[in-house]
Amino acid sequence: MLLMSGSYHTIQGAEKNPSYTVAVNDPIAPELGEVQMHAVKPKAPVVGRVVSTESCMQGRSASFVRHVSIDVSGTPLAGSFRAGQAFGVIAPGEDGRGKAHAVRLYSLACPTLGEDGSGNVVSTTVKRVIDEYSAEKETDDQEAHHLFLGVCSNYLCDLKVGDEVLVTGPAGKRFLLPADPSKHDYLFIATGTGIAPYYGMVRELLQGSGDPASSEIHLVMGTPYTTDLLYDEYFASMAEEHEGFHYHRVISRSDVRREYVDRYIDREMDSTFRSFFSNPRTLMYLCGLEGMESGMYRMLARHGLSEGFVEVKEPLTLEEHETWDAKSMKRNVKSGPRSLVEVY
Ligand code: NAP
């Protein structure tokens, strides 16, 4: 995925815009290895069968999130995916124009060997959509505000064990663990259901077929309330068992301290994260809400820790990060080779 250019790496996509070329020492750019795409195409989905569906919630929460596992054995999807990729689901019925619903992508929450250890069972972390309709275009009814339930997530949450579901995939080429995970240390940052791929990756690193990874791993999880933490018991138990695994909970609506993931890392920079970002083995993964990406990049620029994680092109400069606004960042700031990003 990375094209060599002297002692520099040209980042994917830079062919179109050479100004994104940055200096990076060889050992720190991740080699992601082979990845399959679209073994099952959206135009020819295959039938999977739900084998488990469990609530991820603990205590009283305003959200409903489920861990749904689907058996895809006997289909080309089986054994073709890697942790961090996504798979597609096609909800039954038609859209407003009378066409079959388009495929919706869901992050895999399982390791590369699936939930069953043989690559036959995929899983995801899916949150119910319960919202109020609001107009998006001028031509939309500006007064309409009825209940909006979306198309696919509630369908997936409603499925019972034994139900059939149309699936496709895998999709996604870059949000992956390196081909040799032992070459790196990991900072996994999630907001909400952005935790899904890390549930697969952490299981792969700590409980995969070989010895547990000796890498240092930090998982930073941001949610509104403690009752929204997902797979919390699992990650807490891994932190007890594995000296190199560190689990950080960041709660944005706590009565004690209201914090976002970037502000938490900022606060803990000197005690925990500065040496981690300075370490050439470190890879940073971001998954969840779009806003977290710019927050992290700004914060890293302020600490002088951008190298390899953030790329900036003119007219913006790292030194003038205080002047970056959302619009200029969208055009001129992007992830470096040591940042792997899946945000929406
Ligand atoms: P959620 O439970 O609402 O949690 C999101 C948390 O992030 C809240 O604590 C929120 O705080 C905080 N937050 C809001 N703005 C932030 C910012 N700019 N920087 C850092 N933290 C911020 O999350 P959710 O409803 O599950 O949504 C997760 C998002 O991840 C969805 O958009 C989903 O599409 C996406 N996602 C992406 C993937 C993927 O890319 N593969 C996979 C799964 C999910 P407050 O609400 O208190 O302000």
Side-chain angles (χ1 to χ4, degrees), residues 142-174:
Q142 304 298 313
E143 302 301 317
H145 56 266
H146 53 267
L147 180 64
F148 175 79
L149 297 173
V151 171
C152 201
S153 293
N154 282 307
Y155 159 71
L156 204 44
C157 283
D158 285 348
L159 289 174
K160 296 201 182 79
V161 171
D163 283 349
E164 292 186 342
V165 52
L166 289 179
V167 292
T168 69
K173 289 183 184 168
R174 173 136 173 97

Side-chain angles (χ1 to χ4, degrees), residues 5-318:
S5 159
S7 60
Y8 290 76
H9 283 147
T10 302
I11 312 308
Q12 191 192 26
E15 306 91 277
K16 291 182 205 137
N17 190 343
S19 56
Y20 273 118
T21 302
V22 290
V24 170
N25 295 328
D26 279 347
I28 58 177
E31 282 295 335
L32 299 176
E34 294 292 310
V35 62
Q36 278 202 62
M37 291 281 286
H38 310 302
V40 178
K41 295 189 169 49
K43 282 200 170 135
V46 293
V47 176
R49 194 175 290 276
V50 175
V51 288
S52 79
T53 171
E54 289 153 25
S55 171
C56 296
M57 308 320 298
Q58 39 178 347
R60 287 163 74 88
S61 166
S63 321
F64 302 94
V65 182
R66 301 191 77 83
H67 182 82
V68 179
S69 301
I70 300 168
D71 186 347
V72 294
S73 53
T75 77
L77 186 53
S80 71
F81 54 88
R82 282 178 59 188
Q85 285 189 287
F87 70 104
V89 175
I90 299 179
E94 294 174 343
D95 63 18
R97 292 173 300 160
K99 290 191 170 169
H101 285 302
V103 66
R104 263 57 173 190
L105 291 179
Y106 290 88
S107 281
L108 286 166
C110 56
T112 298
L113 290 178
E115 291 292 346
D116 61 326
S118 310
N120 285 316
V121 178
V122 297
S123 65
T124 191
T125 314
V126 54
K127 182 175 185 173
R128 285 191 183 276
V129 174
I130 304 166
D131 209 343
E132 206 171 71
Y133 172 86
S134 60
E136 284 180 0
K137 294 179 284 190
E138 266 181 35
T139 49
D140 291 341
D141 178 355
Q142 304 298 313
E143 302 301 317
H145 56 266
H146 53 267
L147 180 64
F148 175 79
L149 297 173
V151 171
C152 201
S153 293
N154 282 307
Y155 159 71
L156 204 44
C157 283
D158 285 348
L159 289 174
K160 296 201 182 79
V161 171
D163 283 349
E164 292 186 342
V165 52
L166 289 179
V167 292
T168 69
K173 289 183 184 168
R174 173 136 173 97
F175 199 80
L176 302 165
L177 289 173
D180 181 355
S182 69
K183 288 189 176 160
H184 292 277
D185 295 313
Y186 302 91
L187 174 56
F188 294 136
I189 309 175
T191 46
T193 47
I195 195 79
Y198 305 135
Y199 188 46
M201 289 176 173
V202 170
R203 284 189 284 168
E204 183 148 328
L205 289 169
L206 300 181
Q207 299 177 298
S209 45
D211 290 335
S214 56
S215 305
E216 282 286 305
I217 307 167
H218 285 269
L219 171 63
V220 180
M221 167 58 160
T223 55
Y225 299 102
T226 50
T227 48
D228 299 311
L229 289 164
L230 304 170
Y231 311 114
D232 183 55
E233 273 183 28
Y234 172 78
F235 290 125
S237 71
M238 287 298 107
E240 294 249 310
E241 279 173 41
H242 298 271
E243 211 180 311
F245 180 69
H246 312 274
Y247 176 43
H248 309 260
R249 302 176 178 97
V250 181
I251 305 302
S252 61
R253 301 182 201 173
S254 156
D255 292 337
V256 184
R257 179 184 266 139
R258 294 172 182 239
E259 220 160 30
Y260 280 175
V261 286
D262 56 315
R263 290 183 211 155
Y264 170 82
I265 292 171
D266 187 20
R267 183 166 57 81
E268 299 293 327
M269 187 57 87
D270 289 337
S271 63
T272 309
F273 293 105
R274 186 177 299 281
S275 56
F276 203 66
F277 281 112
S278 307
N279 165 5
R281 288 168 45 92
T282 297
L283 300 179
M284 177 174 78
Y285 290 68
L286 299 175
C287 190
L289 292 172
E290 197 178 12
M292 72 197 277
E293 186 180 11
S294 49
M296 280 302 300
Y297 292 168
R298 255 201 208 95
M299 190 268 294
L300 287 174
R302 186 153 39 79
H303 284 281
L305 293 168
S306 303
E307 174 141 21
F309 298 109
V310 189
E311 285 170 31
V312 178
K313 71 177 170 108
E314 288 179 355
L316 300 191
T317 64
L318 282 169

